[in-house]
Short mmCIF file of all heavy atoms in Angstrom, two decimals:
data_model
loop_
_atom_site.label_atom_id
_atom_site.label_comp_id
_atom_site.label_asym_id
_atom_site.label_seq_id
_atom_site.Cartn_x
_atom_site.Cartn_y
_atom_site.Cartn_z
N MET A 512 3.44 -130.72 -138.04
CA MET A 512 3.75 -130.49 -136.60
C MET A 512 5.22 -130.08 -136.46
O MET A 512 6.07 -130.83 -136.71
CB MET A 512 3.43 -131.82 -135.82
CG MET A 512 3.65 -131.62 -134.32
SD MET A 512 3.03 -133.02 -133.45
CE MET A 512 4.19 -134.35 -133.90
N SER A 513 5.38 -128.85 -136.11
CA SER A 513 6.80 -128.38 -135.91
C SER A 513 6.88 -127.62 -134.60
O SER A 513 5.87 -127.26 -133.99
CB SER A 513 7.28 -127.53 -137.06
OG SER A 513 6.59 -126.30 -137.07
N THR A 514 8.04 -127.38 -134.21
CA THR A 514 8.27 -126.60 -132.95
C THR A 514 9.52 -125.72 -133.15
O THR A 514 10.02 -125.71 -134.22
CB THR A 514 8.48 -127.62 -131.81
OG1 THR A 514 8.51 -126.91 -130.55
CG2 THR A 514 9.75 -128.48 -131.94
N ALA A 515 9.82 -124.97 -132.13
CA ALA A 515 10.95 -124.08 -132.26
C ALA A 515 12.17 -124.59 -131.56
O ALA A 515 12.10 -125.22 -130.44
CB ALA A 515 10.58 -122.74 -131.66
N CYS A 516 13.30 -124.34 -132.18
CA CYS A 516 14.57 -124.69 -131.55
C CYS A 516 14.76 -123.92 -130.24
O CYS A 516 14.55 -122.73 -130.24
CB CYS A 516 15.71 -124.41 -132.53
SG CYS A 516 17.34 -124.56 -131.79
N PRO A 517 15.11 -124.57 -129.15
CA PRO A 517 15.31 -123.92 -127.90
C PRO A 517 16.55 -123.07 -127.88
O PRO A 517 16.72 -122.17 -127.06
CB PRO A 517 15.37 -125.04 -126.89
CG PRO A 517 15.91 -126.24 -127.61
CD PRO A 517 15.29 -126.06 -129.03
N GLU A 518 17.40 -123.22 -128.82
CA GLU A 518 18.63 -122.49 -128.91
C GLU A 518 18.52 -121.18 -129.77
O GLU A 518 18.84 -120.11 -129.32
CB GLU A 518 19.78 -123.36 -129.48
CG GLU A 518 21.09 -122.64 -129.60
CD GLU A 518 21.77 -122.51 -128.23
OE1 GLU A 518 21.25 -122.88 -127.21
OE2 GLU A 518 22.93 -122.00 -128.29
N CYS A 519 17.93 -121.36 -130.99
CA CYS A 519 17.93 -120.18 -131.90
C CYS A 519 16.53 -119.91 -132.35
O CYS A 519 16.25 -118.93 -133.05
CB CYS A 519 18.79 -120.55 -133.11
SG CYS A 519 18.09 -121.80 -134.16
N GLU A 520 15.46 -120.65 -131.86
CA GLU A 520 14.14 -120.39 -132.15
C GLU A 520 13.75 -120.60 -133.64
O GLU A 520 12.64 -120.15 -134.10
CB GLU A 520 13.63 -119.02 -131.64
CG GLU A 520 13.82 -118.96 -130.12
CD GLU A 520 13.18 -117.74 -129.52
OE1 GLU A 520 12.81 -116.84 -130.29
OE2 GLU A 520 13.16 -117.62 -128.30
N SER A 521 14.57 -121.21 -134.39
CA SER A 521 14.24 -121.60 -135.76
C SER A 521 13.23 -122.66 -135.76
O SER A 521 13.17 -123.50 -134.83
CB SER A 521 15.44 -122.08 -136.57
OG SER A 521 16.33 -121.12 -136.86
N PRO A 522 12.25 -122.68 -136.68
CA PRO A 522 11.30 -123.80 -136.73
C PRO A 522 12.01 -125.03 -137.06
O PRO A 522 12.85 -125.13 -137.89
CB PRO A 522 10.34 -123.41 -137.81
CG PRO A 522 11.02 -122.35 -138.63
CD PRO A 522 12.07 -121.71 -137.73
N VAL A 523 11.67 -126.09 -136.27
CA VAL A 523 12.31 -127.40 -136.49
C VAL A 523 11.12 -128.39 -136.73
O VAL A 523 10.12 -128.39 -136.09
CB VAL A 523 13.07 -127.87 -135.20
CG1 VAL A 523 13.63 -129.31 -135.42
CG2 VAL A 523 14.12 -126.91 -134.91
N GLN A 524 11.28 -129.21 -137.82
CA GLN A 524 10.30 -130.17 -138.18
C GLN A 524 10.81 -131.54 -137.81
O GLN A 524 11.61 -132.13 -138.57
CB GLN A 524 10.01 -130.06 -139.70
CG GLN A 524 8.99 -131.07 -140.21
CD GLN A 524 7.58 -130.76 -139.72
OE1 GLN A 524 7.10 -129.73 -140.08
NE2 GLN A 524 7.00 -131.62 -138.91
N PRO A 525 10.31 -132.16 -136.75
CA PRO A 525 10.76 -133.47 -136.45
C PRO A 525 10.16 -134.44 -137.44
O PRO A 525 9.10 -134.19 -138.02
CB PRO A 525 10.23 -133.75 -135.06
CG PRO A 525 9.75 -132.40 -134.55
CD PRO A 525 9.44 -131.57 -135.75
N PRO A 526 10.82 -135.58 -137.63
CA PRO A 526 10.27 -136.60 -138.50
C PRO A 526 8.94 -137.16 -137.92
O PRO A 526 8.71 -137.13 -136.75
CB PRO A 526 11.28 -137.72 -138.47
CG PRO A 526 12.25 -137.45 -137.40
CD PRO A 526 12.14 -135.95 -137.11
N GLY A 527 8.08 -137.57 -138.84
CA GLY A 527 6.76 -138.05 -138.39
C GLY A 527 6.74 -139.16 -137.43
O GLY A 527 5.83 -139.35 -136.60
N ASP A 528 7.86 -139.95 -137.45
CA ASP A 528 7.99 -141.06 -136.58
C ASP A 528 8.93 -140.78 -135.42
O ASP A 528 9.51 -141.69 -134.89
CB ASP A 528 8.40 -142.31 -137.38
CG ASP A 528 9.79 -142.08 -137.99
OD1 ASP A 528 10.29 -141.00 -138.05
OD2 ASP A 528 10.32 -143.11 -138.53
N ALA A 529 9.12 -139.49 -135.10
CA ALA A 529 10.04 -139.12 -134.03
C ALA A 529 9.54 -139.85 -132.72
O ALA A 529 8.43 -140.01 -132.45
CB ALA A 529 10.08 -137.63 -133.81
N ARG A 530 10.54 -140.10 -131.95
CA ARG A 530 10.30 -140.81 -130.62
C ARG A 530 11.05 -139.98 -129.54
O ARG A 530 12.03 -139.35 -129.81
CB ARG A 530 10.85 -142.23 -130.66
CG ARG A 530 10.08 -143.08 -131.63
CD ARG A 530 10.76 -144.35 -131.89
NE ARG A 530 10.98 -145.12 -130.67
CZ ARG A 530 11.56 -146.34 -130.56
NH1 ARG A 530 12.05 -146.87 -131.63
NH2 ARG A 530 11.67 -146.93 -129.40
N VAL A 531 10.59 -140.14 -128.30
CA VAL A 531 11.21 -139.49 -127.13
C VAL A 531 12.64 -140.01 -127.08
O VAL A 531 12.94 -141.17 -127.28
CB VAL A 531 10.46 -139.86 -125.86
CG1 VAL A 531 11.25 -139.36 -124.68
CG2 VAL A 531 9.08 -139.13 -125.87
N SER A 532 13.53 -139.05 -126.89
CA SER A 532 14.98 -139.27 -126.74
C SER A 532 15.67 -139.34 -128.09
O SER A 532 16.88 -139.47 -128.12
CB SER A 532 15.34 -140.41 -125.83
OG SER A 532 15.30 -141.65 -126.60
N GLU A 533 14.91 -139.21 -129.09
CA GLU A 533 15.55 -139.13 -130.45
C GLU A 533 16.23 -137.81 -130.62
O GLU A 533 15.89 -136.77 -130.16
CB GLU A 533 14.50 -139.29 -131.55
CG GLU A 533 15.04 -139.36 -132.94
CD GLU A 533 14.01 -139.92 -133.94
OE1 GLU A 533 13.13 -140.65 -133.51
OE2 GLU A 533 14.14 -139.65 -135.09
N LEU A 534 17.32 -137.86 -131.38
CA LEU A 534 18.12 -136.60 -131.57
C LEU A 534 17.88 -136.10 -133.00
O LEU A 534 17.80 -136.83 -133.95
CB LEU A 534 19.68 -136.90 -131.44
CG LEU A 534 20.06 -137.33 -130.03
CD1 LEU A 534 21.57 -137.67 -129.98
CD2 LEU A 534 19.76 -136.25 -128.98
N ILE A 535 17.76 -134.79 -133.04
CA ILE A 535 17.44 -134.11 -134.32
C ILE A 535 18.44 -132.89 -134.42
O ILE A 535 18.74 -132.29 -133.43
CB ILE A 535 15.99 -133.55 -134.33
CG1 ILE A 535 14.97 -134.65 -134.19
CG2 ILE A 535 15.74 -132.67 -135.53
CD1 ILE A 535 13.59 -134.12 -133.97
N GLU A 536 18.91 -132.66 -135.59
CA GLU A 536 19.80 -131.54 -135.80
C GLU A 536 18.99 -130.32 -136.22
O GLU A 536 18.25 -130.42 -137.16
CB GLU A 536 20.85 -131.80 -136.81
CG GLU A 536 21.88 -130.78 -136.93
CD GLU A 536 23.02 -131.01 -137.94
OE1 GLU A 536 22.68 -130.83 -139.08
OE2 GLU A 536 24.07 -131.55 -137.57
N CYS A 537 19.21 -129.26 -135.46
CA CYS A 537 18.48 -127.98 -135.90
C CYS A 537 19.03 -127.50 -137.16
O CYS A 537 20.24 -127.35 -137.39
CB CYS A 537 18.71 -126.94 -134.79
SG CYS A 537 18.10 -125.33 -135.28
N PRO A 538 18.14 -127.25 -138.14
CA PRO A 538 18.66 -126.68 -139.48
C PRO A 538 19.12 -125.28 -139.37
O PRO A 538 19.78 -124.75 -140.23
CB PRO A 538 17.38 -126.79 -140.31
CG PRO A 538 16.21 -126.71 -139.40
CD PRO A 538 16.65 -127.35 -138.14
N GLY A 539 18.82 -124.55 -138.29
CA GLY A 539 19.17 -123.18 -138.15
C GLY A 539 20.56 -123.02 -137.54
O GLY A 539 21.42 -122.39 -138.06
N CYS A 540 20.73 -123.68 -136.44
CA CYS A 540 22.10 -123.48 -135.64
C CYS A 540 22.91 -124.73 -135.55
O CYS A 540 23.98 -124.74 -134.92
CB CYS A 540 21.73 -122.91 -134.26
SG CYS A 540 20.89 -124.06 -133.18
N ARG A 541 22.40 -125.82 -136.13
CA ARG A 541 23.13 -127.15 -136.14
C ARG A 541 23.26 -127.75 -134.78
O ARG A 541 24.09 -128.64 -134.58
CB ARG A 541 24.51 -126.93 -136.77
CG ARG A 541 24.56 -126.10 -138.02
CD ARG A 541 23.83 -126.73 -139.19
NE ARG A 541 24.57 -127.90 -139.70
CZ ARG A 541 24.21 -128.62 -140.69
NH1 ARG A 541 23.07 -128.27 -141.37
NH2 ARG A 541 24.82 -129.69 -141.14
N SER A 542 22.53 -127.25 -133.81
CA SER A 542 22.54 -127.83 -132.47
C SER A 542 21.85 -129.20 -132.50
O SER A 542 20.98 -129.49 -133.24
CB SER A 542 21.77 -126.96 -131.47
OG SER A 542 22.46 -125.83 -131.23
N GLU A 543 22.40 -130.13 -131.71
CA GLU A 543 21.75 -131.31 -131.51
C GLU A 543 20.62 -131.15 -130.53
O GLU A 543 20.81 -130.72 -129.41
CB GLU A 543 22.70 -132.44 -130.93
CG GLU A 543 23.70 -132.87 -131.92
CD GLU A 543 23.28 -134.24 -132.44
OE1 GLU A 543 23.47 -135.25 -131.76
OE2 GLU A 543 22.76 -134.33 -133.59
N LEU A 544 19.39 -131.55 -130.92
CA LEU A 544 18.19 -131.45 -130.12
C LEU A 544 17.65 -132.81 -129.79
O LEU A 544 17.58 -133.64 -130.64
CB LEU A 544 17.10 -130.59 -130.81
CG LEU A 544 17.65 -129.23 -131.33
CD1 LEU A 544 16.45 -128.50 -132.13
CD2 LEU A 544 18.06 -128.33 -130.15
N GLU A 545 17.26 -132.95 -128.51
CA GLU A 545 16.63 -134.14 -128.12
C GLU A 545 15.12 -134.03 -127.96
O GLU A 545 14.66 -133.03 -127.37
CB GLU A 545 17.22 -134.58 -126.71
CG GLU A 545 16.66 -135.91 -126.26
CD GLU A 545 17.34 -136.39 -125.00
OE1 GLU A 545 18.25 -135.67 -124.48
OE2 GLU A 545 16.93 -137.40 -124.47
N VAL A 546 14.38 -134.96 -128.53
CA VAL A 546 12.91 -134.93 -128.39
C VAL A 546 12.62 -135.40 -126.91
O VAL A 546 12.95 -136.45 -126.47
CB VAL A 546 12.27 -135.93 -129.34
CG1 VAL A 546 10.76 -135.91 -129.11
CG2 VAL A 546 12.55 -135.53 -130.76
N ILE A 547 12.00 -134.48 -126.17
CA ILE A 547 11.65 -134.79 -124.75
C ILE A 547 10.20 -135.07 -124.56
O ILE A 547 9.76 -135.57 -123.55
CB ILE A 547 12.12 -133.71 -123.83
CG1 ILE A 547 11.58 -132.30 -124.15
CG2 ILE A 547 13.68 -133.63 -123.84
CD1 ILE A 547 11.90 -131.27 -123.15
N ALA A 548 9.36 -134.68 -125.54
CA ALA A 548 7.88 -134.95 -125.45
C ALA A 548 7.28 -134.96 -126.85
O ALA A 548 7.89 -134.31 -127.75
CB ALA A 548 7.23 -133.95 -124.59
N LEU A 549 6.22 -135.67 -127.02
CA LEU A 549 5.62 -135.81 -128.38
C LEU A 549 4.34 -135.04 -128.61
O LEU A 549 4.01 -134.62 -129.62
CB LEU A 549 5.47 -137.33 -128.68
CG LEU A 549 6.75 -138.10 -128.83
CD1 LEU A 549 6.41 -139.54 -129.03
CD2 LEU A 549 7.61 -137.55 -130.00
N THR A 550 3.50 -134.95 -127.56
CA THR A 550 2.19 -134.32 -127.68
C THR A 550 2.01 -133.32 -126.57
O THR A 550 1.52 -133.72 -125.48
CB THR A 550 1.13 -135.40 -127.67
OG1 THR A 550 1.36 -136.27 -126.55
CG2 THR A 550 1.11 -136.20 -128.91
N PRO A 551 2.33 -132.07 -126.77
CA PRO A 551 2.90 -131.49 -128.04
C PRO A 551 4.34 -131.84 -128.10
O PRO A 551 5.02 -132.12 -127.02
CB PRO A 551 2.63 -130.04 -127.91
CG PRO A 551 2.64 -129.77 -126.50
CD PRO A 551 2.09 -131.05 -125.78
N ILE A 552 4.91 -131.71 -129.29
CA ILE A 552 6.33 -131.96 -129.47
C ILE A 552 7.14 -130.93 -128.66
O ILE A 552 6.77 -129.79 -128.64
CB ILE A 552 6.67 -131.90 -130.96
CG1 ILE A 552 8.08 -132.36 -131.30
CG2 ILE A 552 6.49 -130.49 -131.61
CD1 ILE A 552 8.19 -133.85 -131.26
N ALA A 553 8.15 -131.41 -128.00
CA ALA A 553 9.06 -130.53 -127.27
C ALA A 553 10.47 -130.99 -127.44
O ALA A 553 10.80 -132.11 -127.48
CB ALA A 553 8.67 -130.51 -125.81
N LEU A 554 11.32 -130.00 -127.56
CA LEU A 554 12.76 -130.27 -127.86
C LEU A 554 13.62 -129.65 -126.72
O LEU A 554 13.27 -128.58 -126.23
CB LEU A 554 13.20 -129.78 -129.20
CG LEU A 554 12.42 -130.27 -130.36
CD1 LEU A 554 12.88 -129.56 -131.64
CD2 LEU A 554 12.68 -131.75 -130.59
N ALA A 555 14.75 -130.24 -126.44
CA ALA A 555 15.69 -129.70 -125.54
C ALA A 555 17.13 -129.87 -126.09
O ALA A 555 17.32 -130.75 -126.99
CB ALA A 555 15.64 -130.38 -124.17
N LEU A 556 17.97 -128.99 -125.78
CA LEU A 556 19.36 -129.16 -126.27
C LEU A 556 19.93 -130.41 -125.76
O LEU A 556 19.85 -130.82 -124.59
CB LEU A 556 20.14 -127.97 -125.76
CG LEU A 556 20.17 -126.71 -126.55
CD1 LEU A 556 20.98 -125.63 -125.86
CD2 LEU A 556 20.61 -126.90 -127.95
N ALA A 557 20.46 -131.18 -126.69
CA ALA A 557 21.19 -132.43 -126.28
C ALA A 557 22.53 -132.12 -125.77
O ALA A 557 23.14 -131.19 -126.23
CB ALA A 557 21.20 -133.40 -127.43
N PRO A 558 23.08 -132.96 -124.86
CA PRO A 558 24.45 -132.74 -124.44
C PRO A 558 25.38 -133.00 -125.64
O PRO A 558 25.15 -133.78 -126.52
CB PRO A 558 24.73 -133.86 -123.46
CG PRO A 558 23.35 -134.43 -123.13
CD PRO A 558 22.43 -134.11 -124.26
N ASP A 559 26.39 -132.03 -125.68
CA ASP A 559 27.36 -132.13 -126.83
C ASP A 559 28.25 -133.35 -126.62
O ASP A 559 28.96 -133.38 -125.60
CB ASP A 559 28.19 -130.84 -126.80
CG ASP A 559 29.12 -130.77 -128.01
OD1 ASP A 559 29.31 -131.85 -128.66
OD2 ASP A 559 29.63 -129.70 -128.26
N PRO A 560 28.21 -134.25 -127.55
CA PRO A 560 29.06 -135.52 -127.40
C PRO A 560 30.53 -135.29 -127.41
O PRO A 560 31.29 -136.11 -126.99
CB PRO A 560 28.55 -136.38 -128.52
CG PRO A 560 27.97 -135.44 -129.57
CD PRO A 560 27.49 -134.29 -128.78
N GLU A 561 30.86 -134.14 -127.99
CA GLU A 561 32.32 -133.82 -128.09
C GLU A 561 32.82 -133.08 -126.87
O GLU A 561 34.01 -132.82 -126.67
CB GLU A 561 32.54 -133.03 -129.34
CG GLU A 561 32.33 -133.78 -130.61
CD GLU A 561 32.62 -133.00 -131.86
OE1 GLU A 561 33.34 -131.98 -131.72
OE2 GLU A 561 32.12 -133.37 -132.89
N GLU A 562 31.90 -132.73 -126.03
CA GLU A 562 32.29 -132.01 -124.79
C GLU A 562 32.95 -132.93 -123.79
O GLU A 562 32.57 -134.08 -123.63
CB GLU A 562 31.04 -131.36 -124.18
CG GLU A 562 31.43 -130.50 -123.03
CD GLU A 562 30.50 -129.25 -123.03
OE1 GLU A 562 29.92 -128.82 -124.10
OE2 GLU A 562 30.35 -128.60 -121.96
N ASP A 563 33.93 -132.41 -123.10
CA ASP A 563 34.58 -133.18 -122.09
C ASP A 563 33.80 -133.24 -120.82
O ASP A 563 33.41 -132.19 -120.23
CB ASP A 563 35.97 -132.55 -121.78
CG ASP A 563 36.72 -133.30 -120.78
OD1 ASP A 563 36.33 -134.40 -120.39
OD2 ASP A 563 37.86 -132.91 -120.42
N TRP A 564 33.28 -134.40 -120.46
CA TRP A 564 32.40 -134.57 -119.33
C TRP A 564 33.18 -134.54 -118.04
O TRP A 564 32.60 -134.76 -116.97
CB TRP A 564 31.57 -135.84 -119.48
CG TRP A 564 30.55 -135.75 -120.56
CD1 TRP A 564 30.77 -135.34 -121.85
CD2 TRP A 564 29.20 -136.09 -120.51
NE1 TRP A 564 29.66 -135.40 -122.52
CE2 TRP A 564 28.60 -135.86 -121.77
CE3 TRP A 564 28.38 -136.58 -119.44
CZ2 TRP A 564 27.27 -136.09 -122.01
CZ3 TRP A 564 27.03 -136.82 -119.75
CH2 TRP A 564 26.53 -136.55 -120.96
N GLY A 565 34.43 -134.35 -118.05
CA GLY A 565 35.25 -134.31 -116.79
C GLY A 565 35.70 -135.74 -116.45
O GLY A 565 35.63 -136.67 -117.23
N GLU A 566 36.09 -135.83 -115.17
CA GLU A 566 36.70 -137.10 -114.72
C GLU A 566 35.70 -138.25 -114.81
O GLU A 566 34.64 -138.19 -114.29
CB GLU A 566 37.08 -136.95 -113.19
CG GLU A 566 38.17 -135.90 -113.07
CD GLU A 566 39.51 -136.29 -113.80
OE1 GLU A 566 40.06 -137.30 -113.41
OE2 GLU A 566 39.89 -135.59 -114.79
ZN1 ZN B 940 18.62 -123.90 -133.54
#
């Protein structure tokens, strides 16, 4: 069961025990992806933890 990275569309294979809100690193573009749904698997770009969130 794999899906495509929302950023670069590379195939991403989540771990078999993936859970919603788990973070996965895209092997193609190194983006942090968050699991947002399991059946079917869906990924979204996770917020960049190094980004300045502002005040
Ligand atoms: Zn990617």
Side-chain angles (χ1 to χ4, degrees):
M512 183 170 67
S513 69
T514 187
C516 170
E518 180 75 357
C519 69
E520 299 189 352
S521 287
V523 178
Q524 178 72 62
D528 60 351
R530 295 167 58 181
V531 170
S532 83
E533 186 162 334
L534 295 177
I535 297 171
E536 185 180 83
C537 172
C540 66
R541 317 292 290 181
S542 290
E543 286 260 283
L544 305 176
E545 181 176 358
V546 178
I547 57 172
L549 292 176
T550 50
I552 191 83
L554 301 175
L556 278 177
D559 186 344
E561 295 180 15
E562 186 140 338
D563 185 1
W564 289 48
E566 296 298 296

